[in-house]
Short mmCIF file of all heavy atoms in Angstrom, two decimals:
data_model
loop_
_atom_site.label_atom_id
_atom_site.label_comp_id
_atom_site.label_asym_id
_atom_site.label_seq_id
_atom_site.Cartn_x
_atom_site.Cartn_y
_atom_site.Cartn_z
N MET V 1 93.25 -160.45 -66.80
CA MET V 1 92.19 -160.33 -67.87
C MET V 1 91.84 -161.78 -68.42
O MET V 1 92.81 -162.44 -68.86
CB MET V 1 92.50 -159.42 -68.94
CG MET V 1 91.23 -159.03 -69.77
SD MET V 1 90.12 -158.05 -68.90
CE MET V 1 90.88 -156.41 -69.00
N ASP V 2 90.73 -162.21 -68.24
CA ASP V 2 90.26 -163.59 -68.72
C ASP V 2 89.73 -163.41 -70.10
O ASP V 2 88.67 -162.89 -70.29
CB ASP V 2 89.25 -164.14 -67.67
CG ASP V 2 88.70 -165.52 -68.25
OD1 ASP V 2 89.34 -166.07 -69.06
OD2 ASP V 2 87.65 -165.86 -67.66
N ARG V 3 90.46 -163.94 -71.00
CA ARG V 3 90.10 -163.80 -72.47
C ARG V 3 89.54 -165.19 -73.03
O ARG V 3 90.35 -166.11 -72.88
CB ARG V 3 91.20 -163.28 -73.37
CG ARG V 3 91.48 -161.74 -73.14
CD ARG V 3 92.62 -161.34 -74.12
NE ARG V 3 92.71 -159.96 -74.14
CZ ARG V 3 92.01 -159.12 -75.00
NH1 ARG V 3 91.21 -159.71 -75.91
NH2 ARG V 3 92.18 -157.83 -75.01
N THR V 4 88.53 -165.19 -73.78
CA THR V 4 88.07 -166.40 -74.39
C THR V 4 87.70 -166.09 -75.72
O THR V 4 86.60 -165.69 -76.10
CB THR V 4 86.88 -167.02 -73.61
OG1 THR V 4 87.20 -167.17 -72.30
CG2 THR V 4 86.47 -168.36 -74.14
N GLY V 5 88.55 -166.25 -76.71
CA GLY V 5 88.24 -166.09 -78.14
C GLY V 5 87.74 -164.70 -78.48
O GLY V 5 86.68 -164.67 -79.20
N GLY V 6 88.31 -163.69 -77.99
CA GLY V 6 87.86 -162.35 -78.25
C GLY V 6 86.88 -161.79 -77.32
O GLY V 6 86.59 -160.61 -77.29
N TYR V 7 86.28 -162.66 -76.51
CA TYR V 7 85.25 -162.16 -75.38
C TYR V 7 86.13 -161.93 -74.25
O TYR V 7 86.98 -162.58 -73.83
CB TYR V 7 84.33 -163.28 -75.14
CG TYR V 7 83.42 -163.51 -76.30
CD1 TYR V 7 83.69 -164.37 -77.43
CD2 TYR V 7 82.17 -162.79 -76.41
CE1 TYR V 7 82.93 -164.57 -78.45
CE2 TYR V 7 81.33 -163.01 -77.50
CZ TYR V 7 81.73 -163.82 -78.46
OH TYR V 7 80.90 -164.06 -79.56
N VAL V 8 85.86 -160.73 -73.58
CA VAL V 8 86.58 -160.22 -72.48
C VAL V 8 85.62 -160.21 -71.32
O VAL V 8 84.57 -159.63 -71.36
CB VAL V 8 87.25 -158.88 -72.76
CG1 VAL V 8 88.05 -158.33 -71.53
CG2 VAL V 8 88.12 -159.00 -73.94
N ARG V 9 86.00 -160.79 -70.08
CA ARG V 9 85.33 -160.65 -68.92
C ARG V 9 85.54 -159.35 -68.32
O ARG V 9 86.56 -159.03 -67.93
CB ARG V 9 85.59 -161.79 -68.00
CG ARG V 9 84.78 -161.82 -66.82
CD ARG V 9 85.00 -163.02 -65.89
NE ARG V 9 84.74 -164.22 -66.56
CZ ARG V 9 83.59 -164.83 -66.71
NH1 ARG V 9 82.57 -164.10 -66.23
NH2 ARG V 9 83.38 -166.02 -67.36
N GLY V 10 84.55 -158.49 -68.20
CA GLY V 10 84.65 -157.12 -67.64
C GLY V 10 84.53 -157.22 -66.12
O GLY V 10 84.39 -158.28 -65.60
N PRO V 11 84.68 -156.10 -65.46
CA PRO V 11 84.41 -155.97 -64.08
C PRO V 11 82.98 -156.48 -63.70
O PRO V 11 82.06 -156.31 -64.42
CB PRO V 11 84.61 -154.47 -63.69
CG PRO V 11 84.38 -153.77 -65.00
CD PRO V 11 84.67 -154.65 -66.14
N GLY V 12 82.91 -156.97 -62.50
CA GLY V 12 81.65 -157.67 -62.14
C GLY V 12 81.29 -158.85 -62.88
O GLY V 12 82.09 -159.64 -63.22
N ASP V 13 79.97 -158.89 -63.27
CA ASP V 13 79.52 -159.97 -63.89
C ASP V 13 79.26 -159.81 -65.48
O ASP V 13 78.58 -160.59 -66.08
CB ASP V 13 78.07 -160.46 -63.39
CG ASP V 13 78.25 -161.01 -61.94
OD1 ASP V 13 79.29 -161.62 -61.57
OD2 ASP V 13 77.32 -160.72 -61.09
N THR V 14 79.84 -158.78 -66.02
CA THR V 14 79.63 -158.63 -67.39
C THR V 14 80.69 -159.16 -68.20
O THR V 14 81.93 -159.32 -67.81
CB THR V 14 79.56 -157.03 -67.65
OG1 THR V 14 80.85 -156.41 -67.20
CG2 THR V 14 78.48 -156.40 -66.91
N VAL V 15 80.29 -159.41 -69.54
CA VAL V 15 81.35 -159.79 -70.57
C VAL V 15 81.17 -158.80 -71.68
O VAL V 15 80.12 -158.23 -71.98
CB VAL V 15 81.01 -161.20 -71.09
CG1 VAL V 15 81.40 -162.27 -69.95
CG2 VAL V 15 79.56 -161.33 -71.41
N GLU V 16 82.31 -158.58 -72.29
CA GLU V 16 82.36 -157.57 -73.37
C GLU V 16 83.00 -158.11 -74.57
O GLU V 16 83.81 -158.97 -74.56
CB GLU V 16 83.13 -156.35 -72.96
CG GLU V 16 82.84 -155.76 -71.61
CD GLU V 16 83.83 -154.64 -71.27
OE1 GLU V 16 84.39 -154.04 -72.19
OE2 GLU V 16 83.91 -154.40 -70.18
N ARG V 17 82.65 -157.62 -75.77
CA ARG V 17 83.61 -157.75 -76.95
C ARG V 17 83.27 -156.62 -77.95
O ARG V 17 82.20 -156.09 -77.98
CB ARG V 17 83.45 -159.24 -77.57
CG ARG V 17 82.22 -159.37 -78.46
CD ARG V 17 82.53 -160.49 -79.48
NE ARG V 17 83.61 -160.25 -80.34
CZ ARG V 17 84.28 -161.22 -81.02
NH1 ARG V 17 84.12 -162.43 -80.82
NH2 ARG V 17 85.37 -160.95 -81.82
N GLY V 18 84.38 -156.45 -78.73
CA GLY V 18 84.31 -155.48 -79.78
C GLY V 18 84.13 -156.22 -81.10
O GLY V 18 84.49 -157.45 -81.11
N CYS V 19 83.75 -155.47 -82.08
CA CYS V 19 83.64 -156.07 -83.46
C CYS V 19 84.95 -156.21 -84.11
O CYS V 19 85.80 -155.25 -83.92
CB CYS V 19 82.68 -155.32 -84.28
SG CYS V 19 82.47 -156.05 -85.97
N ASP V 20 85.24 -157.26 -84.90
CA ASP V 20 86.50 -157.41 -85.58
C ASP V 20 86.49 -156.54 -86.81
O ASP V 20 87.54 -156.27 -87.46
CB ASP V 20 86.75 -158.80 -86.08
CG ASP V 20 86.79 -159.75 -84.87
OD1 ASP V 20 87.25 -159.32 -83.78
OD2 ASP V 20 86.66 -161.02 -85.10
N HIS V 21 85.44 -155.91 -87.19
CA HIS V 21 85.24 -155.30 -88.38
C HIS V 21 84.90 -153.80 -88.36
O HIS V 21 84.97 -153.13 -89.25
CB HIS V 21 84.17 -155.91 -89.36
CG HIS V 21 84.35 -157.42 -89.37
ND1 HIS V 21 85.30 -157.96 -90.15
CD2 HIS V 21 83.79 -158.35 -88.76
CE1 HIS V 21 85.35 -159.28 -90.00
NE2 HIS V 21 84.34 -159.59 -89.18
N CYS V 22 84.52 -153.35 -87.15
CA CYS V 22 84.20 -151.82 -87.04
C CYS V 22 84.37 -151.46 -85.44
O CYS V 22 84.84 -152.34 -84.70
CB CYS V 22 82.75 -151.56 -87.43
SG CYS V 22 81.45 -152.13 -86.52
N ALA V 23 84.08 -150.32 -85.09
CA ALA V 23 84.23 -149.79 -83.78
C ALA V 23 83.03 -150.33 -82.86
O ALA V 23 83.07 -149.83 -81.64
CB ALA V 23 84.31 -148.31 -83.81
N TRP V 24 82.20 -151.22 -83.26
CA TRP V 24 81.00 -151.55 -82.49
C TRP V 24 81.60 -152.28 -81.26
O TRP V 24 82.57 -153.14 -81.26
CB TRP V 24 80.13 -152.56 -83.28
CG TRP V 24 78.96 -153.15 -82.61
CD1 TRP V 24 77.78 -152.52 -82.59
CD2 TRP V 24 78.96 -154.44 -81.91
NE1 TRP V 24 76.88 -153.43 -81.81
CE2 TRP V 24 77.58 -154.53 -81.49
CE3 TRP V 24 79.85 -155.43 -81.62
CZ2 TRP V 24 77.19 -155.65 -80.81
CZ3 TRP V 24 79.42 -156.46 -80.94
CH2 TRP V 24 78.16 -156.65 -80.49
N HIS V 25 80.90 -152.16 -80.10
CA HIS V 25 81.35 -152.78 -78.88
C HIS V 25 80.11 -152.99 -78.01
O HIS V 25 79.19 -152.23 -77.98
CB HIS V 25 82.29 -151.79 -78.12
CG HIS V 25 82.86 -152.45 -76.87
ND1 HIS V 25 84.00 -153.13 -76.91
CD2 HIS V 25 82.46 -152.41 -75.58
CE1 HIS V 25 84.39 -153.54 -75.73
NE2 HIS V 25 83.44 -153.11 -74.86
N ALA V 26 80.04 -154.15 -77.38
CA ALA V 26 78.87 -154.56 -76.63
C ALA V 26 79.28 -155.03 -75.13
O ALA V 26 80.25 -155.61 -75.08
CB ALA V 26 78.07 -155.66 -77.31
N VAL V 27 78.39 -154.82 -74.23
CA VAL V 27 78.58 -155.35 -72.87
C VAL V 27 77.25 -156.03 -72.58
O VAL V 27 76.26 -155.55 -72.63
CB VAL V 27 78.89 -154.14 -71.94
CG1 VAL V 27 79.10 -154.78 -70.48
CG2 VAL V 27 80.05 -153.38 -72.33
N GLU V 28 77.41 -157.29 -72.06
CA GLU V 28 76.18 -157.97 -71.60
C GLU V 28 76.48 -158.73 -70.30
O GLU V 28 77.71 -158.84 -69.90
CB GLU V 28 75.81 -159.06 -72.72
CG GLU V 28 75.30 -158.46 -74.05
CD GLU V 28 73.84 -158.01 -73.78
OE1 GLU V 28 73.16 -158.21 -72.78
OE2 GLU V 28 73.24 -157.41 -74.80
N GLY V 29 75.47 -159.30 -69.78
CA GLY V 29 75.63 -159.98 -68.48
C GLY V 29 75.92 -161.48 -68.64
O GLY V 29 76.34 -162.08 -67.60
N SER V 30 75.89 -161.95 -69.79
CA SER V 30 76.25 -163.35 -69.97
C SER V 30 76.78 -163.74 -71.39
O SER V 30 76.60 -162.87 -72.33
CB SER V 30 75.08 -164.23 -69.81
OG SER V 30 74.14 -164.07 -70.87
N TYR V 31 77.63 -164.73 -71.50
CA TYR V 31 78.21 -165.02 -72.81
C TYR V 31 77.11 -165.36 -73.81
O TYR V 31 77.19 -164.81 -74.99
CB TYR V 31 79.11 -166.23 -72.79
CG TYR V 31 80.44 -165.90 -72.24
CD1 TYR V 31 80.89 -166.30 -70.92
CD2 TYR V 31 81.36 -165.13 -72.94
CE1 TYR V 31 82.19 -166.04 -70.51
CE2 TYR V 31 82.53 -164.80 -72.45
CZ TYR V 31 83.11 -165.23 -71.19
OH TYR V 31 84.32 -164.90 -70.69
N PRO V 32 75.99 -166.08 -73.58
CA PRO V 32 75.03 -166.31 -74.54
C PRO V 32 74.36 -165.11 -75.08
O PRO V 32 74.10 -164.89 -76.36
CB PRO V 32 74.02 -167.25 -73.93
CG PRO V 32 74.85 -167.98 -72.92
CD PRO V 32 75.85 -166.91 -72.37
N ALA V 33 73.99 -164.16 -74.16
CA ALA V 33 73.38 -162.92 -74.55
C ALA V 33 74.49 -162.06 -75.49
O ALA V 33 74.09 -161.49 -76.51
CB ALA V 33 73.12 -162.05 -73.39
N LEU V 34 75.69 -162.09 -75.15
CA LEU V 34 76.64 -161.34 -75.86
C LEU V 34 76.90 -161.89 -77.28
O LEU V 34 76.96 -161.23 -78.24
CB LEU V 34 78.07 -161.27 -75.06
CG LEU V 34 79.10 -160.46 -75.75
CD1 LEU V 34 78.66 -159.07 -75.83
CD2 LEU V 34 80.34 -160.53 -74.86
N ILE V 35 76.89 -163.27 -77.35
CA ILE V 35 77.20 -163.98 -78.63
C ILE V 35 76.03 -163.65 -79.52
O ILE V 35 76.07 -163.39 -80.75
CB ILE V 35 77.36 -165.40 -78.42
CG1 ILE V 35 78.64 -165.81 -77.70
CG2 ILE V 35 77.36 -166.26 -79.66
CD1 ILE V 35 78.93 -167.14 -77.07
N LYS V 36 74.83 -163.83 -79.10
CA LYS V 36 73.61 -163.51 -79.90
C LYS V 36 73.62 -162.01 -80.28
O LYS V 36 73.39 -161.77 -81.52
CB LYS V 36 72.36 -163.74 -78.94
CG LYS V 36 71.06 -163.35 -79.79
CD LYS V 36 69.90 -163.65 -79.00
CE LYS V 36 68.54 -163.49 -79.87
NZ LYS V 36 68.56 -162.31 -80.66
N ARG V 37 74.00 -161.17 -79.42
CA ARG V 37 74.02 -159.72 -79.79
C ARG V 37 75.09 -159.41 -80.90
O ARG V 37 74.82 -158.79 -81.87
CB ARG V 37 74.34 -158.84 -78.59
CG ARG V 37 74.22 -157.40 -78.82
CD ARG V 37 73.94 -156.62 -77.51
NE ARG V 37 74.33 -155.25 -77.66
CZ ARG V 37 74.46 -154.34 -76.65
NH1 ARG V 37 74.25 -154.87 -75.42
NH2 ARG V 37 74.78 -153.17 -76.82
N TYR V 38 76.27 -160.08 -80.76
CA TYR V 38 77.27 -159.92 -81.75
C TYR V 38 76.82 -160.64 -83.10
O TYR V 38 77.16 -159.99 -84.18
CB TYR V 38 78.63 -160.62 -81.25
CG TYR V 38 79.75 -160.42 -82.25
CD1 TYR V 38 80.10 -159.16 -82.61
CD2 TYR V 38 80.52 -161.49 -82.59
CE1 TYR V 38 81.11 -159.01 -83.53
CE2 TYR V 38 81.63 -161.31 -83.40
CZ TYR V 38 81.98 -160.03 -83.96
OH TYR V 38 83.01 -159.95 -84.74
N GLN V 39 76.18 -161.69 -83.08
CA GLN V 39 75.75 -162.26 -84.26
C GLN V 39 74.67 -161.52 -84.97
O GLN V 39 74.73 -161.34 -86.25
CB GLN V 39 75.19 -163.75 -84.04
CG GLN V 39 76.39 -164.60 -83.66
CD GLN V 39 75.91 -166.18 -83.36
OE1 GLN V 39 74.73 -166.28 -83.21
NE2 GLN V 39 76.79 -167.03 -83.47
N ASP V 40 73.82 -160.82 -84.17
CA ASP V 40 72.79 -159.93 -84.75
C ASP V 40 73.52 -158.78 -85.38
O ASP V 40 73.08 -158.23 -86.51
CB ASP V 40 71.85 -159.49 -83.64
CG ASP V 40 70.82 -160.42 -83.16
OD1 ASP V 40 70.75 -161.60 -83.90
OD2 ASP V 40 70.23 -160.33 -82.13
N HIS V 41 74.56 -158.27 -84.81
CA HIS V 41 75.26 -157.18 -85.24
C HIS V 41 75.88 -157.53 -86.63
O HIS V 41 75.81 -156.80 -87.59
CB HIS V 41 76.36 -156.67 -84.29
CG HIS V 41 77.36 -155.83 -84.93
ND1 HIS V 41 77.06 -154.44 -85.15
CD2 HIS V 41 78.65 -155.92 -85.34
CE1 HIS V 41 78.14 -153.83 -85.68
NE2 HIS V 41 79.10 -154.77 -85.83
N LEU V 42 76.61 -158.74 -86.63
CA LEU V 42 77.20 -159.20 -87.92
C LEU V 42 76.09 -159.29 -89.01
O LEU V 42 76.44 -158.90 -90.22
CB LEU V 42 77.89 -160.49 -87.69
CG LEU V 42 79.07 -160.53 -86.94
CD1 LEU V 42 79.71 -161.94 -86.77
CD2 LEU V 42 80.25 -159.69 -87.64
N ARG V 43 75.09 -159.86 -88.71
CA ARG V 43 74.00 -160.10 -89.73
C ARG V 43 73.59 -158.80 -90.30
O ARG V 43 73.29 -158.66 -91.45
CB ARG V 43 72.91 -160.91 -89.15
CG ARG V 43 71.94 -161.47 -90.12
CD ARG V 43 70.96 -162.42 -89.50
NE ARG V 43 70.24 -161.67 -88.45
CZ ARG V 43 69.96 -162.23 -87.19
NH1 ARG V 43 70.35 -163.38 -86.92
NH2 ARG V 43 69.37 -161.48 -86.28
N ASP V 44 73.44 -157.80 -89.39
CA ASP V 44 72.91 -156.50 -89.82
C ASP V 44 73.88 -155.62 -90.49
O ASP V 44 73.62 -154.98 -91.46
CB ASP V 44 72.26 -155.74 -88.57
CG ASP V 44 71.07 -156.33 -88.03
OD1 ASP V 44 70.41 -157.25 -88.72
OD2 ASP V 44 70.67 -156.10 -86.88
N GLU V 45 75.04 -155.71 -89.92
CA GLU V 45 76.13 -154.59 -90.41
C GLU V 45 77.11 -155.20 -91.25
O GLU V 45 77.85 -154.54 -92.06
CB GLU V 45 76.78 -153.89 -89.23
CG GLU V 45 75.84 -153.26 -88.23
CD GLU V 45 75.17 -152.13 -88.84
OE1 GLU V 45 75.70 -151.50 -89.86
OE2 GLU V 45 74.05 -151.71 -88.39
N HIS V 46 77.35 -156.51 -91.24
CA HIS V 46 78.37 -157.12 -92.04
C HIS V 46 77.93 -158.36 -92.64
O HIS V 46 78.41 -159.45 -92.34
CB HIS V 46 79.74 -157.52 -91.09
CG HIS V 46 80.03 -156.37 -90.27
ND1 HIS V 46 80.78 -155.14 -90.88
CD2 HIS V 46 80.07 -156.10 -89.08
CE1 HIS V 46 81.11 -154.27 -89.89
NE2 HIS V 46 80.63 -154.87 -88.76
N PRO V 47 76.92 -158.36 -93.44
CA PRO V 47 76.24 -159.50 -94.01
C PRO V 47 77.22 -160.42 -94.69
O PRO V 47 77.05 -161.65 -94.66
CB PRO V 47 75.08 -158.97 -94.84
CG PRO V 47 75.47 -157.61 -95.12
CD PRO V 47 76.22 -157.10 -93.95
N ALA V 48 78.10 -159.85 -95.47
CA ALA V 48 79.17 -160.70 -96.15
C ALA V 48 79.87 -161.58 -95.18
O ALA V 48 80.12 -162.77 -95.41
CB ALA V 48 80.04 -159.90 -97.03
N THR V 49 80.30 -161.06 -94.10
CA THR V 49 81.00 -161.71 -93.08
C THR V 49 80.13 -162.75 -92.42
O THR V 49 80.51 -163.98 -92.15
CB THR V 49 81.50 -160.83 -91.94
OG1 THR V 49 82.40 -159.80 -92.57
CG2 THR V 49 82.26 -161.55 -90.77
N TRP V 50 78.85 -162.33 -92.15
CA TRP V 50 77.95 -163.29 -91.59
C TRP V 50 77.71 -164.53 -92.47
O TRP V 50 77.61 -165.59 -91.97
CB TRP V 50 76.56 -162.63 -91.35
CG TRP V 50 75.39 -163.37 -91.01
CD1 TRP V 50 74.32 -163.85 -91.78
CD2 TRP V 50 75.27 -164.00 -89.62
NE1 TRP V 50 73.57 -164.71 -91.05
CE2 TRP V 50 74.09 -164.83 -89.70
CE3 TRP V 50 75.97 -164.06 -88.45
CZ2 TRP V 50 73.56 -165.57 -88.62
CZ3 TRP V 50 75.52 -164.75 -87.38
CH2 TRP V 50 74.36 -165.53 -87.49
N LEU V 51 77.60 -164.33 -93.74
CA LEU V 51 77.33 -165.51 -94.74
C LEU V 51 78.53 -166.42 -94.78
O LEU V 51 78.26 -167.55 -95.04
CB LEU V 51 76.91 -164.97 -96.19
CG LEU V 51 75.51 -164.18 -96.18
CD1 LEU V 51 75.35 -163.47 -97.50
CD2 LEU V 51 74.48 -165.12 -95.88
N ARG V 52 79.69 -165.90 -94.54
CA ARG V 52 80.85 -166.75 -94.59
C ARG V 52 80.98 -167.64 -93.38
O ARG V 52 81.80 -168.58 -93.32
CB ARG V 52 82.09 -165.91 -94.84
CG ARG V 52 82.38 -165.50 -96.18
CD ARG V 52 83.89 -165.15 -96.32
NE ARG V 52 84.23 -164.00 -95.51
CZ ARG V 52 84.18 -162.67 -95.90
NH1 ARG V 52 83.66 -162.44 -97.04
NH2 ARG V 52 84.51 -161.74 -95.09
N ARG V 53 80.17 -167.41 -92.31
CA ARG V 53 80.28 -168.19 -91.08
C ARG V 53 79.77 -169.54 -91.32
O ARG V 53 78.90 -169.80 -91.97
CB ARG V 53 79.61 -167.47 -89.89
CG ARG V 53 80.32 -166.16 -89.56
CD ARG V 53 79.44 -165.52 -88.48
NE ARG V 53 79.23 -166.27 -87.40
CZ ARG V 53 79.94 -166.11 -86.26
NH1 ARG V 53 81.08 -165.34 -86.21
NH2 ARG V 53 79.74 -166.85 -85.24
ZN1 ZN I 101 80.87 -154.37 -86.81
#
């Protein structure tokens, strides 16, 4: 398993990661898409965590 800072490369060309703060989990086709999606999730669901970044 290839791990890069919490991001996990899934089977095929997908990358996945779970949220550190809830059960949210995302699968995307690229790291940039996944990072954007996770940041959108943090901003929407964990604004206090987002603001500390
Ligand atoms: Zn979350």
